[in-house]
Amino acid sequence: MDRRTFLGNGAKASATLAAASVLPTAHELAGRPAMAPSPGPVRLAATERLGSTEGTSTSVTAGPMRANRLRINGAVDPICVDPDDCAFSWTLTASGRSARQAGYRIVVRRAGPGHPTVFWDSGRVASARQSFVYYSGPTLESDTAYSWTVSVKGVDGPWSAPSTPAPFATSLRATDWTAQWLQPAAGSQQPDQFTYVRTEIEVPAGRLTRATAFVAAAHTYQFFIDGQLADHSPSFCYPDEQYFRCVDVTALLHPGRRHGVGALHRWYGGGQGRPVSFPGFLCQLSLHYSDGRHVTFGSDGSWHTQVAEWLPTPQRNSDGGDFVEWVDGRAHPAGWSEQGFDDTAWAAPGVIGPFGTAPFSAAYVQRTNIVEQVVEPVSVRPLPNGSIVADFGAVYAARLRVEFLHGADGWTVPMHVGYLLDPDGQVSTVHGTQETNLSFTYVTRAGQQVFEAFTYLGFRYLQIDTPPESIGRDQLAALATHAEMPEVAMATFSTSQPMLDAVWRLNARSSLYCTHEQFVDTPTREKGQFLWDAANESEAVMRCYGDQNMSWQALRDVQRGQARFHPDGRVNAIYPNDDGARDYPTSTARYPEWIWRYYLSTGDRDSAVILYPSVARVSDYLWSARNAVTGLLYGLADGDDGDPIYGYDLSVAADTASNVLCVNAFTRIGQLAELAGDSAGAALAQSRAAQLTGAINSLLLTGGGYYVDGLDSNGALSPHSSQEANALALAYNVVPAASVASVGQFVASLGISVGPNHGLELLRGLGLAELWEPMVSLLTGSSTPGWANIVANGGTFTWESWIPSDLIGDSLSHGWGSSALVAMSETLLGVSLVEPTSDGAVRLAVNPPRRGLSRAKGSIPTMAGPVHVSWTQSATLFTLEVTIPPNAAATITLPAANSKSLRESGVAVGPLSGVSTGSYANGLAFLTVGSGSYRFTSTLG
């Protein structure tokens, strides 16, 4: 049996829980998670009446408006707000329809005694903006507690009362650090260093109101106070781009008592997504009291350090750079982080210097957060050889945890995790491993103890060989880990096709478990933030979970990578990383699209403008590849990297796919230039897009009505026409209107003939060509390679390739195919985000398919709140129910020959119902609605 066949059969045979039943549950999602100026706000006198703002329909019955769910920088009640980068957001409640915010007033108060009642009052501002409202008052003090409220006004209503106050606290500035950077285990030559660092502090008596630990580490740490885990975080970045975190430790500190404080620190060289950096640890404790006292403790040369019980080991593979974990439990210093521990034999750490000392010359506040949930196995069964195998029911990105109740001194326990079972029931060490050593070894000490892996891996199964005791389900756990998502309801999706729903759920959980310290292409072999993987995963988690900060951080990483490595305008294909400059031209071309999608999802105009200079350089780099004779761009194609290319002609000099991507790049760069107020840059980018589109359609669109894969160096047409070239041309609106049908039919005729990385574009292309039936067929066909085939084979995570190969280490936990859910929401549910208004108000397009499905129901999160859509269709009746949150508006397209065949809640549509009558053409009605709930019925035939 060949390896590819084994992977398919093995996954199916191993599955005890089909992906159709695996959802990201509430349990999994628990936890908290120089530029052109924005258009200036208009300040109003307190008595001035606010008129209507930008909108689309008359306010008819909107009730009083209130603000709720207050956030700063995307977080609820944050304690780590950059005092120089603070943006407010809120959602609104209002009864009735067409509720639009016409003004807001933000009031910030400083907490604590002896301070003015109001620190900043924005005054009444005429604006519909309800997200990314940037603080513009007196300079916020660092490490300071504040609260804020917002009052809002509807178009025709009164000002609301202030919202319930929401607290926030600011982080440190560079000048506020008194702690010293330490080098744990200074002088160690080990490439993988686990080190304890500790001290003790005497907490002064008094009423402690707030205590924060500011912590940074290269590469990662677990932070403890008196034996209790307070925080764990990685920071895989260059030392001059270090992140630091703010941890609320108020509940762990008791005034008048002495406390043990420490960290288990790990530094392990370079790897995918992890620069070599330099071993470093920084910690500053800040204590605030009710009487106004402020006390700080910082890491310095008085701390103590000791090498931890992790033994020297080989790397898991030569690619990712992770090391196998072998742990000698006998060497564990019990109570090491507690008060009273005897550390007199421990060494003094190396002292690098104060904050800002090279190589740690800069640091940023980290907005993202990691959350973990305990997942117990669904089954534990013995093997004839005495081993046990635990099945966690699905593939998770997780840290392994094993409890031993009766440990024997010196018993060596080999363990390994994996994705598949061999025919004899053992966890495979050959198949589905991604060429990675997935083993652990633990040496027990006498008595009760816990082995807990430090670093996460992707896995479903655990095998323990020769366990020293009988081990039950309650002694085993996968500590499932992912980035914290916003406190909003995740998107939903259900249709008349159960397999379609299962595919959507597969994609939803896959995108979630590829969010960690950064986006990763797989949580096992390569934990690098490859641009194409990250862009696809970003689109998925923005659409499904309302992500803001993961995408915000990743886009800035890309911008920094360009500045570090590519003065010619390219962007790094993976960043951060250990191998320096590395680019794929198509990834560079993908970058502007990613920024634009982030802007559509969040309305964060300021970030889009901040990132614009980097894409302006991208524009010049891409255009430099232009051949003046043909007008096409040459030499920008990607290689195959051993992955299937479905016949795409890689021998061409000017390939169609990269040229199409560049058309879209120029289009997006032009739109970003307009946001930035660069009219000349916008005109240049638009001209480049138009010229390149003309060249593509003149030279590469054949008489058969579809595209070839490019031109060779002599100017001859490629003999091959791929699905990739044609699907991308559809997805990025390059195809002339007269050829959309022929190109679409050609794409549909090829099934799935692109890799999962292009799945989003394939589905978007079919959706834009209104080929709904083929789109549904591709997504539900379980007998041919695709998403449904993964589900049918028991897969619970999207794969790197439709037919994974052990020969090249293909991943069975790969997120780049998960963005299919975005196209499913856009086309099959029929909800798309379109460009927000000039002051950030959410705008949507609701356009359900008119064939292919009989019903669909779902929701998506937006910055204004959730949008709910439900539709059904038969031969004689189309019904659409839609709920739009306050301050948002939508254009709706649905079948209706004329106004007589269309009703809303049983009455004719019109301004009195809150619906703009719009227009009718080709059997379709085009309507515009404001916020509220609507029920449209259209008589067909």
Side-chain angles (χ1 to χ4, degrees):
M1 182 184 296
D2 69 274
R3 287 189 172 96
R4 289 176 185 251
T5 303
F6 180 93
L7 282 166
N9 292 345
K12 191 170 186 177
S14 300
T16 58
L17 185 65
S21 65
V22 178
L23 277 165
T25 63
H27 179 67
E28 289 184 76
L29 298 176
R32 294 272 316 264
M35 55 176 271
S38 301
V42 178
R43 302 194 180 278
L44 302 175
T47 57
E48 185 175 350
R49 176 181 174 81
L50 285 169
S52 62
T53 60
E54 182 174 355
T56 52
S57 61
T58 304
S59 180
V60 286
T61 58
M65 181 175 287
R66 291 291 302 269
N68 56 26
R69 213 175 76 78
L70 276 61
R71 295 150 291 163
I72 294 183
N73 293 350
V76 176
D77 302 345
I79 65 165
C80 203
V81 175
D82 185 337
D84 302 311
D85 186 8
C86 175
F88 303 97
S89 300
W90 57 88
T91 56
L92 299 163
T93 57
S95 60
R97 294 180 173 178
S98 299
R100 303 198 308 276
Q101 177 185 293
Y104 66 80
R105 179 182 183 179
I106 296 171
V107 176
V108 175
R109 291 175 170 83
R110 180 170 171 177
H115 299 295
T117 302
V118 174
F119 188 80
W120 175 62
D121 186 341
S122 70
R124 293 181 172 182
V125 180
S127 174
R129 184 170 292 278
Q130 64 180 112
S131 61
F132 295 97
V133 178
Y134 280 86
Y135 176 83
S136 59
T139 300
L140 292 170
E141 297 184 32
S142 56
D143 189 17
T144 302
Y146 295 90
S147 69
W148 69 289
T149 60
V150 60
S151 304
V152 292
K153 185 189 186 307
V155 170
D156 295 319
W159 282 94
S160 73
S163 63
T164 300
F168 71 97
T170 53
S171 66
L172 301 181
R173 292 186 174 93
T175 55
D176 299 313
W177 289 88
T178 59
Q180 302 276 308
W181 272 103
L182 304 182
Q183 184 184 356
S188 172
Q189 300 302 307
Q190 288 293 332
D192 186 22
Q193 300 175 12
F194 285 88
T195 312
Y196 293 111
V197 289
R198 75 174 306 275
T199 193
E200 293 189 8
I201 62 171
E202 192 79 39
V203 177
R207 188 166 73 85
L208 187 65
T209 58
R210 183 168 59 92
T212 307
F214 301 95
V215 188
H219 286 107
T220 184
Y221 67 87
Q222 293 177 343
F223 181 67
F224 295 84
I225 293 180
D226 279 341
Q228 297 188 61
L229 181 65
D231 190 46
H232 59 97
S233 180
S235 186
F236 296 146
C237 51
Y238 293 90
D240 58 346
E241 296 175 356
Q242 188 67 42
Y243 285 108
F244 70 89
R245 290 177 45 74
C246 313
V247 185
D248 184 357
V249 294
T250 310
L252 299 179
L253 296 178
H254 304 284
R257 286 176 49 183
R258 191 170 180 83
H259 291 275
V261 177
L264 174 57
H265 173 270
R266 187 183 190 185
W267 178 86
Y268 49 124
Q272 293 285 13
R274 187 179 65 250
V276 174
S277 188
F278 188 83
F281 177 76
L282 179 74
C283 176
Q284 185 162 311
L285 283 165
S286 176
L287 281 58
H288 292 266
Y289 289 82
S290 60
D291 60 6
R293 282 180 297 153
H294 178 213
V295 180
T296 63
F297 302 90
S299 51
D300 58 24
S302 69
W303 286 45
H304 292 82
T305 180
Q306 173 69 31
V307 174
E309 59 266 30
W310 275 255
L311 303 174
T313 60
Q315 287 189 328
R316 293 196 180 277
N317 60 47
S318 60
D319 196 359
D322 279 350
F323 287 79
V324 177
E325 293 189 49
W326 295 349
V327 180
D328 187 348
R330 298 170 299 177
H332 176 68
W336 69 273
S337 66
E338 298 176 14
Q339 184 271 330
F341 177 80
D342 183 4
D343 61 7
T344 54
W346 286 27
V351 177
I352 300 170
F355 187 89
T357 301
F360 300 105
S361 54
Y364 304 98
V365 177
Q366 189 161 27
R367 290 189 182 182
T368 58
N369 189 34
I370 301 294
V371 293
E372 288 187 339
Q373 298 84 39
V374 176
V375 178
E376 296 182 349
V378 298
S379 68
V380 177
R381 58 185 178 81
L383 297 178
N385 64 4
S387 301
I388 63 168
V389 171
D391 179 3
F392 291 95
V395 173
Y396 290 93
R399 296 191 299 122
L400 177 63
R401 187 178 191 276
V402 181
E403 182 180 11
F404 299 96
L405 300 178
H406 311 288
D409 186 48
W411 191 289
T412 298
V413 185
M415 299 172 275
H416 65 276
V417 295
Y419 288 75
L420 301 172
L421 299 180
D422 285 331
D424 62 0
Q426 297 198 66
V427 179
S428 184
T429 59
V430 177
H431 301 293
T433 65
Q434 305 172 39
E435 299 179 320
T436 301
N437 182 337
L438 299 176
S439 69
F440 304 85
T441 298
Y442 182 67
V443 181
T444 62
R445 60 183 179 271
Q448 186 174 357
Q449 62 210 275
V450 172
F451 164 74
E452 190 172 287
F454 193 89
T455 303
Y456 71 88
L457 290 170
F459 63 90
R460 172 171 177 170
Y461 300 100
L462 162 67
Q463 180 167 324
I464 302 179
D465 295 323
T466 61
E469 61 185 70
S470 176
I471 295 180
R473 284 180 54 192
D474 59 349
Q475 293 171 251
L476 304 174
L479 304 179
T481 178
H482 58 76
E484 183 180 37
M485 294 290 112
E487 293 183 342
V488 300
M490 66 175 284
T492 60
F493 182 89
S494 64
T495 69
S496 53
Q497 299 250 16
M499 178 57 83
L500 202 59
D501 303 348
V503 165
W504 192 91
R505 294 193 294 266
L506 170 76
N507 287 305
R509 79 179 304 274
S510 300
S511 65
L512 180 67
Y513 284 109
C514 281
T515 62
H516 296 281
E517 64 280 353
Q518 58 204 16
F519 291 111
V520 299
D521 70 344
T522 170
T524 296
R525 183 187 73 245
E526 292 182 307
K527 299 177 182 178
Q529 186 169 249
F530 284 85
L531 192 147
W532 199 286
D533 304 67
N536 281 16
E537 292 156 6
S538 168
E539 288 207 40
V541 295
M542 286 191 294
R543 177 57 52 91
C544 190
Y545 301 102
D547 167 63
Q548 171 185 318
N549 283 331
M550 275 293 296
S551 301
W552 180 92
Q553 174 181 293
L555 286 166
R556 279 160 173 75
D557 284 339
V558 176
Q559 183 187 43
R560 291 174 188 143
Q562 183 192 57
R564 182 181 294 273
F565 293 122
H566 301 292
D568 65 355
R570 292 172 289 174
V571 298
N572 229 45
I574 172 174
Y575 192 86
N577 207 39
D578 70 333
D579 58 0
R582 182 177 176 185
D583 75 286
Y584 300 146
T586 52
S587 293
T588 295
R590 178 73 163 86
Y591 173 50
E593 172 74 4
W594 185 6
I595 297 174
W596 186 253
R597 294 289 173 174
Y598 169 80
Y599 171 62
L600 294 187
S601 295
T602 65
D604 183 3
R605 179 186 182 275
D606 291 74
S607 287
V609 172
I610 287 171
L611 295 166
Y612 167 65
S614 67
V615 296
R617 290 190 286 273
V618 164
S619 179
D620 291 339
Y621 163 71
L622 296 176
W623 196 247
S624 71
R626 182 174 182 266
N627 180 290
V629 176
T630 64
L632 296 174
L633 310 183
Y634 283 66
L636 300 181
D638 287 337
D640 63 359
D641 286 336
D643 294 317
I645 56 174
Y646 301 94
Y648 191 82
D649 188 353
L650 295 177
S651 67
V652 294
D655 81 299
T656 304
S658 70
N659 274 265
V660 167
L661 281 168
C662 290
V663 168
N664 185 68
F666 294 134
T667 299
R668 297 311 191 201
I669 292 166
Q671 292 170 306
L672 292 167
E674 290 176 350
L675 290 179
D678 181 4
S679 57
L684 177 62
Q686 292 160 1
S687 172
R688 288 172 172 176
Q691 291 179 66
L692 186 55
T693 298
I696 292 170
N697 289 330
S698 173
L699 297 175
L700 303 176
L701 185 59
T702 69
Y706 44 84
Y707 294 87
V708 297
D709 285 348
L711 299 180
D712 68 18
S713 57
N714 297 317
L717 288 174
S718 167
H720 189 262
S721 294
S722 67
Q723 186 179 62
E724 180 180 331
N726 286 273
L728 267 60
L730 281 174
Y732 294 123
N733 294 299
V734 171
V735 184
S739 300
V740 167
S742 59
V743 173
Q745 290 299 328
F746 177 75
V747 170
S749 72
L750 298 175
I752 298 180
S753 295
V754 295
N757 55 318
H758 288 301
L760 172 59
E761 294 154 314
L762 169 61
L763 297 175
R764 269 190 173 141
L766 292 173
L768 290 171
E770 299 188 348
L771 293 169
W772 303 297
E773 300 99 324
M775 181 175 176
V776 171
S777 178
L778 292 185
L779 285 164
T780 57
S782 60
S783 61
T784 55
W787 296 273
N789 181 254
I790 296 174
V791 173
N793 278 284
T796 58
F797 211 118
T798 49
W799 296 346
E800 183 172 10
S801 177
W802 300 125
I803 306 176
S805 168
D806 284 326
L807 294 173
I808 57 176
D810 282 336
S811 163
L812 298 182
S813 56
H814 215 87
W816 65 1
S818 64
S819 53
L821 70 83
V822 180
M824 295 170 74
S825 292
E826 290 172 345
T827 299
L828 302 181
L829 182 61
V831 184
S832 299
L833 289 161
V834 297
E835 186 172 359
T837 65
S838 59
D839 54 3
V842 170
R843 293 295 180 261
L844 305 122
V846 179
N847 184 11
R850 295 177 288 283
R851 296 182 301 278
L853 289 172
S854 61
R855 60 176 174 83
K857 179 179 181 180
S859 62
I860 66 167
T862 75
M863 297 303 292
V867 174
H868 297 271
V869 169
S870 176
W871 59 263
T872 61
Q873 62 179 321
S874 66
T876 58
L877 185 68
F878 192 101
T879 301
L880 170 67
E881 297 181 10
V882 59
T883 299
I884 308 297
N887 207 38
T891 58
I892 295 177
T893 303
L894 69 167
N898 51 54
S899 59
K900 295 181 179 179
S901 64
L902 182 64
R903 292 289 184 271
E904 194 286 306
S905 298
V907 300
V909 299
L912 293 180
S913 64
V915 181
S916 173
T917 53
S919 60
Y920 299 85
N922 301 317
L924 297 174
F926 304 92
L927 311 170
T928 302
V929 300
S931 67
S933 295
Y934 303 84
R935 187 175 190 275
F936 295 97
T937 55
S938 178
T939 304
L940 307 177

